[in-house]
Amino acid sequence: MAEQEIEPLGKRRLCWPAPGDRLFTASGTPDDSFLGHSPFGNHGIMTAGYRGAADALVEKTREGSYEKDSLVFPIIFLYRQFIELELKGIIASYGRRCDVPPNWQSHRLDELWKSVHRIMEYFEIEDVDGANTAVGEVIREFAAIDPNSFSFRYPVTRDGKPILYGDVKRVDLLRLKEVMEGVANLLSGTDCYIDDIERSGYFEQDER
């Protein structure tokens, strides 16, 4: 990595790539991150990672960071990606029971939620305290402002038209994080609950 001292910037050292620098290298120490998990393992780690990264960025804005107006875009995108992966994981794991095929193509959260809700009904998961209904409303709200996972990655559409957010002009990031925690709890709880049912063999016995 090449360095250059620039006087006008208060003797701050700037760096840029030098010939031979590579992005994806391994140090051979515990500081390395591991990518070689199975697809199933990577799914769980990715899901947790997107949400964890969003949470960390929200916490950074609590420091009074002037960057909060730029961080809002990756924060919302990361939370959306988290929801998408959670929904797709539930569908891929349990949808076969009720003829819901895996869906890795669509980015439509509302469509994915309909499939997950169908799975929840099949496994007779009750809507305790209206939690399922509330999560469905949150997901539809997300789908309305960002139908195809595009709105918070680019400032314009593929046609070059400005991406607008309707009546949404400001976002309370701490409240967003709080609501997302509730969504995460319900989706992960649903996953664990269905997994327990599957492991118990209850439906195999019932089908006999």
Side-chain angles (χ1 to χ4, degrees):
M1 185 71 71
E3 292 186 349
Q4 177 68 40
E5 190 172 291
I6 307 296
E7 291 291 341
L9 296 179
K11 293 182 181 289
R12 191 176 107 197
R13 288 193 175 277
L14 300 181
C15 62
W16 46 80
D21 281 351
R22 296 292 180 268
L23 293 173
F24 303 106
T25 64
S27 69
T29 72
D31 290 333
D32 289 343
S33 295
F34 187 63
L35 293 175
H37 302 278
S38 67
F40 178 80
N42 276 343
H43 179 270
I45 291 171
M46 285 180 179
T47 304
Y50 282 116
R51 182 189 166 205
D55 286 349
L57 290 179
V58 172
E59 289 303 311
K60 179 174 176 57
T61 68
R62 299 185 69 172
E63 302 170 1
S65 171
Y66 65 89
E67 298 172 317
K68 63 180 180 297
D69 290 341
S70 59
L71 292 178
V72 64
F73 296 100
I75 286 170
I76 295 176
F77 169 74
L78 290 166
Y79 278 137
R80 190 196 191 285
Q81 185 69 2
F82 160 74
I83 291 177
E84 183 174 328
L85 283 175
E86 279 280 28
L87 296 177
K88 287 182 173 180
I90 292 173
I91 293 168
S93 297
Y94 312 112
R96 66 189 184 283
R97 288 282 189 180
C98 47
D99 298 322
V100 176
N103 184 351
W104 297 105
Q105 293 81 30
S106 176
H107 295 291
R108 292 293 302 262
L109 296 182
D110 49 350
E111 294 178 358
L112 295 170
W113 171 249
K114 286 179 183 178
S115 295
V116 168
H117 193 261
R118 181 176 167 187
I119 293 168
M120 294 168 76
E121 288 183 330
Y122 176 84
F123 282 96
E124 301 175 355
I125 297 176
E126 297 180 3
D127 190 4
V128 179
D129 297 328
N132 299 352
T133 300
V135 168
E137 291 172 353
V138 168
I139 289 174
R140 284 188 289 273
E141 180 185 6
F142 226 138
I145 199 170
D146 189 4
N148 295 298
S149 190
F150 204 86
S151 300
F152 296 94
R153 291 193 292 152
Y154 303 98
V156 298
T157 66
R158 290 188 176 93
D159 298 328
K161 298 178 181 177
I163 292 177
L164 305 176
Y165 308 107
D167 296 331
V168 179
K169 305 298 182 186
R170 302 175 66 87
V171 179
D172 181 342
L173 293 175
L174 296 179
R175 178 58 179 163
L176 173 64
K177 178 175 179 286
E178 184 179 288
V179 173
M180 284 303 308
E181 181 178 0
V183 172
N185 288 341
L186 185 128
L187 293 179
S188 62
T190 296
D191 191 344
C192 292
Y193 179 73
I194 297 177
D195 184 62
D196 285 345
I197 294 175
E198 290 259 272
R199 291 176 184 276
S200 73
Y202 173 81
F203 279 88
E204 281 78 3
Q205 297 171 12
D206 191 57
E207 289 170 359
R208 294 194 196 111

